[in-house]
Amino acid sequence: MVSPTLILFTGDVRVNEQLALTATYTIFLREHNHLARELKKLNPHWSGETTYQEARKILGAFQQIITYRDFAPLVIGDEATMKYLSPYEGYDESIDPGIANVVSTAAFRFGHLMINPKLFRLDENDQEHP
C-alpha cells in the first residue's frame, strides 16, 4: 500500500519541510481559488487567464495588507513602521518596483529564523495538547 503522502509544488521547495509553511500556502491557494470562482460569477465573459490574474491581484493586495498593517508593526514596532513605511499614496511610475538583493536576502534570513523547529498542538484553551 502506498502511504498517503502529500507533496505540494509551489515557488518554494521548502514548502514540504515545514508544516506552518505548508498550511500558509494551502490557505492562500484556497483563497485564490475562492476569489476566482466569485469573480467568474460576477464576470462570466472573462477568460480563465483574466479570472486567474484578477484573483491573483486581489490576493497580492491581501498579502501586502497583512505584511504592512499587521506583521511589520509586530516585528519592528508601530513607531518604526510609521517612520520607514510611509502610507500608500497611489501608483508612481517613476519608482522602481524592484527590491535590492541585500533586502530580500536579509528578509529571507529573518523569516527563516522565525520558524520554530517544533510545532506545538494546542487544545481549545490554548494549552499544549499531547
Side-chain angles (χ1 to χ4, degrees):
M1 182 174 164
V2 178
S3 70
T5 302
L6 174 64
I7 305 272
L8 296 178
F9 297 99
T10 68
D12 188 338
V13 296
R14 294 165 295 195
V15 70
N16 294 296
E17 297 173 3
Q18 215 284 333
L19 185 58
L21 190 58
T22 305
T24 302
Y25 271 102
T26 302
I27 289 167
F28 280 110
L29 172 71
R30 289 180 180 175
E31 181 58 18
H32 174 273
N33 291 344
H34 168 75
L35 288 168
R37 281 190 300 274
E38 295 302 313
L39 287 169
K40 191 64 174 177
K41 285 181 195 173
L42 294 171
N43 304 283
H45 58 284
W46 281 1
S47 69
E49 181 66 16
T50 298
T51 304
Y52 171 85
Q53 293 297 342
E54 292 301 315
R56 184 173 179 257
K57 286 180 200 176
I58 294 168
L59 195 60
F62 285 167
Q63 290 174 323
Q64 289 177 6
I65 290 167
I66 292 166
T67 300
Y68 293 109
R69 185 195 67 196
D70 303 329
F71 183 67
L74 293 173
V75 175
I76 63 175
D78 289 326
E79 189 175 311
T81 299
M82 296 303 291
K83 180 178 178 181
Y84 296 111
L85 301 175
S86 59
Y88 179 69
E89 296 179 5
Y91 178 73
D92 182 349
E93 67 183 36
S94 69
I95 296 176
D96 179 3
I99 185 167
N101 190 40
V102 66
V103 173
S104 64
T105 301
F108 284 137
R109 296 297 165 244
F110 174 75
H112 295 158
L113 290 173
M114 292 181 61
I115 297 174
N116 190 338
K118 295 181 180 178
L119 189 64
F120 298 99
R121 292 177 47 187
L122 303 178
D123 64 18
E124 62 277 357
N125 298 314
D126 291 328
Q127 301 300 312
E128 190 171 347
H129 188 281

